[in-house]
Amino acid sequence: MHPLFAVLKAETYPDFRERMRESGCTRCALAEHRTHIVVDRGNPDAAILAIGEAPGAQEDETGVAFCGRAGKMLDELFAAEGLSTDEHLLIVNVVKCRPPLNRAPHRDEAARCRPFLERQLALSPARVVALMGTTALRHIAPDRAKGRLAEQVGRFFQLDEWPGREFVTLYHPAAILYNRSLEPVAREHVRALAARARTDGMPAPVPPGG
Ligand code: URA
């Protein structure tokens, strides 16, 4: 079986992860300059699935999603709600390979990678899906991506293609690092997301030190 076909046929998330990492995917030009295929970070059984844009330099180097500065910001936002990004989230990206100079992925690159993102969504039991930033919003819910991001962030919505899930748009953690005035409202959004995931059966976290 072709390795990419095997990736899409994976029936468990750990199998998908392993096969994707080892696939040697060359479906788009991003393959040319990458060091690692960056599949994800976190827990495949998590109640929250977070979707970012694309791996950056550190992610490309290590093969781990959101392990650089933006990842630390994400860790902090969730830690403030008593949640660990490694335990309570599965974090993935629209594309799995680093675009040159960290540009946003092109439409055709995202389209080529889309079947893998769809498989991740299908294999994740998460009921709450966070779309972090414009790229994730544009690729998952294009109808909502026409106006300003500020009008979408913090809003929960559903999509016919993915019944039984709730989606919410968040500011991308890198945008918060770039513009720290976004941080207070971003914290509110993460608080609402955490509350939603908890009402959905996720165990209440142990408070720091408790
Ligand atoms: N930004 C992203 O969108 N994804 C990563 O994995 C790292 C930074």
Side-chain angles (χ1 to χ4, degrees), residues 78-101:
F78 279 91
E81 299 308 315
L83 300 178
S84 148
T85 50
D86 285 326
E87 190 186 341
H88 300 106
L89 269 72
L90 177 65
I91 312 168
V92 305
N93 283 304
V94 167
V95 296
K96 311 291 181 257
C97 298
R98 182 191 181 201
L101 303 172

Side-chain angles (χ1 to χ4, degrees), residues 38 52-56 59 64-67 70 93 172:
V38 179
E53 180 176 290
E59 288 78 17
V64 179
F66 279 93
C67 66
N93 283 304
H172 191 289

Side-chain angles (χ1 to χ4, degrees), residues 104-124:
H106 293 153
R107 194 181 290 272
D108 63 309
E109 293 159 351
R112 294 252 160 187
C113 219
R114 171 99 189 186
F116 305 120
L117 180 60
E118 287 185 0
R119 197 75 196 127
Q120 287 177 300
L121 260 159
L123 291 172
S124 157

